[in-house]
Amino acid sequence: MARRPREDWPGSLHHVMNRGIARRTMFENENDIRDFLALFVHAKRRGEIEIRAFAIMTTHYHVLLHSPVGQLGPAMGRIQSEYSRSFNRSRKRDGPLVRTRYTSRPVRSVEDEICLYAYIHNNPVKAGIVGHPTDYPFSSAYHFTRGSGPRWLDRGPVDWWIEARSGVADERAAYDRVFSPALAEQSRDLIERRLAGKLMVDPLVDLVDAAPERVRAWMERKARLADGTRPGLPACGAAQVEQAIRVVLDLPLDGDIGASAQVSLIRPLRAGLLHDLAGIRVTSIAAIVGANRSTVGNDLNRHRQLVADDPSYGTIATRVIATAIESWRDENGIAELARRARRGSAKVIDVS
């Protein structure tokens, strides 16, 4: 089977990760980690990549890389092959060390970039190695809360965001005001599902700060192209969709959302946006709404029909989408940071 072509172009930003074959240890000691990072530094000096963020664990790694000249593939191929050869030679072993080439996903929005910093830095916390991201010495978070660090680490965006949101003297508290534990936890689900989505179009590019007609066009396109089984990349979480439905339809903020008198409207709206906007599969939607899979499938079909045929339904759904996106962004200050970045105040990749 032919490999999927990787998306890479001059000026692009990428989340790159890989893990050891059969989940074996890739990095057995500090020298292994330093040797691995040194290969990224060599690639930076060749002008192939710039390193925005990293977390090197024992069995896997995550890096956020800027590709200034569109040479991410050759750079990563060289890094992984050279490290594998060096690792094998020092252990007198042979055979593959990593499970695949590497996994990469382009980052197309400031919102996605902010979530990735939180997600990458939170890996050692999630693994139970440290209690706070900035305590892990083999992560860029360690350097972002200290006055000095390696010159090869591109600190620009994070230093600017921390300074813009700070107002506190303690460096860890300043970091948490940008990359809060809540954002890290929300980001984990979004980023991991986005990694699984590979080459899908990122809805954040279409929906963030978009005019109502653009949001509606996105929704109508999703309704036309949906195959009924595979959701797209998530643009927010289920909680934001549920909350937005309550707000737009003026429902009580507690209690069973499915018990409303507007249930004939809510059921297709809920199923459709959990699927298309939050990127949740039908089986999981059934668990959220307390229905069986067949009922959710019927509600999805009803949603698509209403989007095509009922302008008033489309208006309501458009408002719910915009409200859910803004709720997700505002919960952790992402909207403020992204708006500042788009005005050119930070060195970030923004192709929206």
Side-chain angles (χ1 to χ4, degrees), residues 42-58:
H42 295 329
K44 174 182 171 63
R45 289 173 179 163
R46 291 192 297 267
E48 296 170 337
I49 58 170
E50 293 174 357
I51 303 108
R52 293 279 179 88
F54 65 91
I56 312 300
M57 312 293 285
T58 55

Side-chain angles (χ1 to χ4, degrees), residues 84-146:
S84 295
R85 285 198 299 270
S86 173
F87 184 95
N88 284 351
R89 191 164 50 245
S90 67
R91 272 78 174 180
K92 294 181 170 54
R93 72 180 292 272
D94 56 17
L97 177 63
V98 293
R99 65 176 182 176
T100 183
R101 291 185 294 167
Y102 61 92
T103 298
S104 68
R105 183 178 65 81
V107 181
R108 291 188 172 88
S109 68
V110 179
E111 288 77 8
D112 196 8
E113 182 180 358
I114 295 170
C115 284
L116 272 166
Y117 278 108
Y119 170 77
I120 289 172
H121 291 161
N122 202 55
N123 264 259
V125 177
K126 190 66 180 175
I129 300 172
V130 294
H132 193 273
T134 62
D135 290 335
Y136 188 63
F138 309 113
S139 161
S140 46
Y142 180 88
H143 302 293
F144 287 136
T145 53
R146 287 159 175 82

Side-chain angles (χ1 to χ4, degrees), residues 182-252:
L183 174 61
E185 186 60 29
Q186 288 184 27
S187 299
R188 182 172 62 88
D189 179 58
L190 289 174
I191 296 301
E192 288 178 357
R193 286 193 284 136
R194 281 165 169 261
L195 275 173
K198 298 285 185 179
L199 299 179
M200 293 180 185
V201 174
D202 187 346
L204 287 174
V205 177
D206 285 330
L207 299 177
V208 168
D209 290 332
E213 57 269 21
R214 186 171 161 189
V215 175
R216 185 160 188 157
W218 174 88
M219 179 181 61
E220 291 172 349
R221 185 171 67 252
K222 290 289 292 182
R224 286 196 304 271
L225 299 178
D227 63 6
T229 57
R230 189 185 188 197
L233 292 178
C236 65
Q240 286 81 31
V241 172
E242 301 271 273
Q243 183 75 356
I245 290 174
R246 294 179 189 275
V247 170
V248 171
L249 297 182
D250 195 23
L251 301 176

